[in-house]
Amino acid sequence: MGLVGDGLERAVQQAFTRPIPKSAGAQMRYLVKQLKGTRAVADMLGISQRTVERYVKDQIRRPRADLAQRLEAAVRERWQPRIRAQARAQAATSTGLVVDTRARFGFTAAPGTTDDARVRHLTIALAPQHAARLFDAHDAGASEQQLRDIAAEGLGEMYFRDSGRRAHGLEVQFTDVEHLEFDL
């Protein structure tokens, strides 16, 4: 994915109430249950069906590093879908998102203002409507640049325009992102 998409996923994963299964066998059993068969898991992970069966029976305990990474990512992606949906709904309707970023911010404003871009470190609470737009775009498969544009619009609204109380018509550019983290 990208910086914004991965950040949104990590934020939602903070809402998990139970840790994901630790052992490879438990992770395989979870995936087999979710995908309703060993063939689907084997196709998804790029391994043989017999290998999946061996993990399920704990005949193989330690996967290769690349397989362990793919396995954990697949489990994490499917873990606690209702908790994930509740966290997204709450952020999109009532609590919003907290964004911690270090990036270059510039803006286009009225003539005579200083619009030079500079690196800023911001920790801003985005309103629920901006969180909803981010989650909706992420679910719709928006590109990384589109997600950054939505985040820039939200940051511009909350930080530069102060929720519409000042700097009307200010357009914010959000570039050279060094760090970006979301929190629910």
Side-chain angles (χ1 to χ4, degrees):
M1 227 169 258
L3 199 59
V4 179
D6 290 343
L8 288 171
E9 286 299 318
R10 279 191 304 274
V12 170
Q13 289 172 7
Q14 291 173 359
F16 289 164
T17 58
R18 293 186 340 250
I20 67 168
K22 298 282 187 226
S23 72
Q27 290 175 346
M28 279 293 182
R29 285 187 288 277
Y30 176 76
L31 286 177
V32 167
K33 184 177 178 183
Q34 290 295 308
L35 299 177
K36 297 178 178 40
T38 56
R39 170 59 63 196
V41 174
D43 291 343
M44 180 188 65
L45 294 174
I47 57 177
S48 71
Q49 184 175 0
R50 181 67 186 133
T51 303
V52 172
E53 292 167 359
R54 287 184 184 130
Y55 277 110
V56 168
K57 293 179 183 178
D58 282 330
Q59 292 174 346
I60 305 176
R61 294 184 186 269
R62 291 201 177 99
R64 299 181 320 264
D66 61 328
L67 177 59
Q69 201 171 30
R70 289 193 316 260
L71 181 60
E72 184 176 343
V75 171
R76 192 174 296 279
E77 183 181 312
R78 290 167 178 75
W79 190 248
Q80 292 189 331
R82 286 188 291 193
I83 299 292
R84 185 185 304 259
Q86 287 172 354
R88 284 178 176 219
Q90 184 178 9
T93 56
S94 61
T95 60
L97 283 173
V98 176
V99 179
D100 180 46
T101 186
R102 180 170 169 77
R104 182 171 303 279
F105 286 92
F107 51 89
T108 307
T113 60
T114 59
D115 60 352
D116 292 336
R118 64 177 181 241
V119 175
R120 299 173 193 251
H121 182 250
L122 301 176
T123 302
I124 301 290
L126 289 183
Q129 65 265 23
H130 297 296
R133 286 188 57 213
L134 270 171
F135 282 127
D136 290 343
H138 179 64
D139 291 343
S143 70
E144 178 68 14
Q145 187 57 46
Q146 291 170 325
L147 292 173
R148 280 188 187 194
D149 291 343
I150 294 170
E153 188 176 316
L155 289 168
E157 179 68 29
M158 301 309 291
Y159 181 73
F160 293 106
R161 292 189 292 269
D162 196 21
S163 300
R165 289 190 277 273
R166 60 186 163 110
H168 302 287
L170 186 80
E171 294 296 321
V172 177
Q173 289 100 28
F174 181 53
T175 58
D176 299 339
V177 179
E178 297 174 10
H179 166 77
L180 181 67
E181 190 173 314
F182 294 96
D183 195 13
L184 297 176

